[in-house]
Amino acid sequence: AQSVTQLDSHVSVSEGTPVLLRCNYSSSYSPSLFWYVQHPNKGLQLLLKYTSAATLVKGINGFEAEFKKSETSFHLTKPSAHMSDAAEYFCVVSRPPNTGFQKLVFGTGTRLLVSP
Amino acid sequence: SAVISQKPSRDICQRGTSLTIQCQVDSQVTMMFWYRQQPGQSLTLIATANQGSEATYESGFVIDKFPISRPNLTFSTLTVSNLSPEDSSIYLCSVEDRAANSPLHFGNGTRLTVT
């Protein structure tokens, strides 16, 4: 069985300061991990994905995440927040690619608030 | 990446009626998925739809309440039947792009409000 835990339901930062959104996972095999972003009244957009290649993954809009197996973590970071980053972020775990269809298990989400 | 068109984008329906949501993909895909996102909640998988076979439902979801059609490799519908206020949610269609070793792409969702 797989699961993800997003440790913060809300994170508030000031524009220009670093962003850290925390995610821990549980999986009985080496998982695929993703971060999706959902802006208000919009669909889900893939930010980045980890599929057993490089442990530091770079995504769109300056976001990156590091897979740490020893800590079972996949935290999302960005050096400098922008107002447009305000959204809901979902950490997602899945089976490894090519091992079966990718049934995604979503975390509960973290709402990122960015103040001027 | 696949482009997914979902219709309607939103609807307000009366209790006891049904709503059918359409999902159109711009390329052929083997598997299509339907998710529900209840207000303030995360996404939950409702069912997986393969072309030419019955949909596979997740625990807690039944065909009588959420019938799904998958007539071809680019289209699917989800019907939410006998609506109650508890069905007010965002319903999202997604597809897998296994050939590109890519995770799911999502449509923009259908926001359903039941009055």
Side-chain angles (χ1 to χ4, degrees), chain A residues 36 38 49 97 102-103 107, chain B residues 37 42 58 96 101 104 111:
Chain A
Y36 281 86
Q38 186 179 37
K49 64 179 180 180
Q102 293 190 355
K103 177 179 172 179
Chain B
Q37 185 178 22
S42 186
E58 297 298 304
E96 181 186 48
N101 195 23
L104 297 192
R111 183 180 295 273

Side-chain angles (χ1 to χ4, degrees), chain A:
Chain A
Q2 302 169 100
S3 66
V4 288
T5 301
Q6 291 185 245
L7 298 164
D8 306 293
S9 60
H10 292 81
V11 170
S12 295
V13 300
S14 298
E15 190 174 22
T17 64
V19 175
L20 170 63
L21 305 183
R22 298 182 294 166
C23 173
N24 286 101
Y25 71 91
S26 173
S27 178
S28 54
Y29 36 72
S30 182
S32 293
L33 291 158
F34 314 92
W35 277 96
Y36 281 86
V37 61
Q38 186 179 37
H39 287 91
N41 301 314
K42 300 281 189 177
L44 287 155
Q45 181 182 22
L46 179 68
L47 276 179
L48 49 80
K49 64 179 180 180
Y50 166 78
T51 54
S52 76
T55 56
L56 181 62
V57 182
K58 294 187 183 299
I60 62 172
N61 301 335
F63 284 94
E64 63 181 39
E66 186 172 8
F67 174 73
K68 291 186 177 180
K69 186 175 181 179
S70 60
E71 299 177 9
T72 61
S73 70
F74 191 58
H75 301 333
L76 182 71
T77 61
K78 183 173 180 177
S80 176
H82 192 272
M83 294 296 291
S84 61
D85 294 327
E88 188 87 17
Y89 291 79
F90 293 98
C91 182
V92 182
V93 65
S94 174
R95 301 165 66 98
N98 300 318
T99 63
F101 81 86
Q102 293 190 355
K103 177 179 172 179
L104 304 188
V105 176
F106 281 76
T108 52
T110 298
R111 182 167 296 276
L112 177 64
L113 306 169
V114 183
S115 56

